[in-house]
Amino acid sequence: EHEQSVAILAQQVLEDRAAIAALRHQGDVDRILIDRLQAQSLLDRDQIANLQLALHGARRIGAAIGVLMSSHRLTQEAAFETLKAHSQRNRLKLRDVAETILFTGTL
C-alpha cells in the first residue's frame, strides 16, 4: 500500500512538475517536489537525501550534455550517447564523467 501511494504521488509530482517548470531555477522546483513528498510523510530522511543527490546528479549530467552539444555540435541524443559510451568504455559512473566534462570542458 505504501509503494502504491508513493507511485501515485510520484505520478502527481510528474504532472505538477510540468505546471511549475516555469519557476526561475530548477533547484526551486526540486525543493518544492521534495518538500511535498516529505510533507506527506512518504519519504524518510535517507530517501530525501538520496533523491536530492540524484536530482543534483541529473542536473550535472544535463549540463555536461549541453557542453558536449555545444563543443561538438551534437544533438541532445547524440551527446547523451557519447557520454554514456565513454562511461561504459572506461567503466566510470555517468555522473563522474559528467563532472569531468564540466571541470575540463572535454571528455
Side-chain angles (χ1 to χ4, degrees), residues 49-67:
N50 288 338
L51 184 55
Q52 288 171 329
L53 183 61
L55 289 169
H56 175 73
R59 285 191 302 272
R60 301 295 284 174
I61 290 167
I65 288 170
V67 168

Side-chain angles (χ1 to χ4, degrees), residues 21-93:
L23 289 176
R24 187 165 216 177
H25 300 287
Q26 186 62 45
D28 294 339
V29 174
D30 296 340
R31 278 190 294 282
I32 289 168
L33 297 176
I34 291 169
D35 289 347
R36 182 177 292 167
L37 290 170
Q38 185 177 20
Q40 294 188 15
S41 300
L42 294 176
L43 296 176
D44 63 27
R45 287 180 192 205
D46 289 339
Q47 290 170 317
I48 291 167
N50 288 338
L51 184 55
Q52 288 171 329
L53 183 61
L55 289 169
H56 175 73
R59 285 191 302 272
R60 301 295 284 174
I61 290 167
I65 288 170
V67 168
L68 290 176
M69 289 172 66
S70 176
S71 64
H72 297 286
R73 296 185 181 262
L74 298 171
T75 64
Q76 182 177 357
E77 295 79 17
F80 176 73
E81 288 302 320
T82 300
L83 183 68
K84 185 173 81 170
H86 185 83
S87 169
Q88 292 172 345
R89 189 172 45 254
N90 294 288
R91 296 186 179 171
L92 298 168
K93 291 183 179 182

Side-chain angles (χ1 to χ4, degrees), residues 92-103:
L92 298 168
K93 291 183 179 182
L94 198 60
R95 69 174 179 255
D96 293 339
V97 175
E99 289 299 328
T100 297
I101 291 169
L102 293 175
F103 184 71

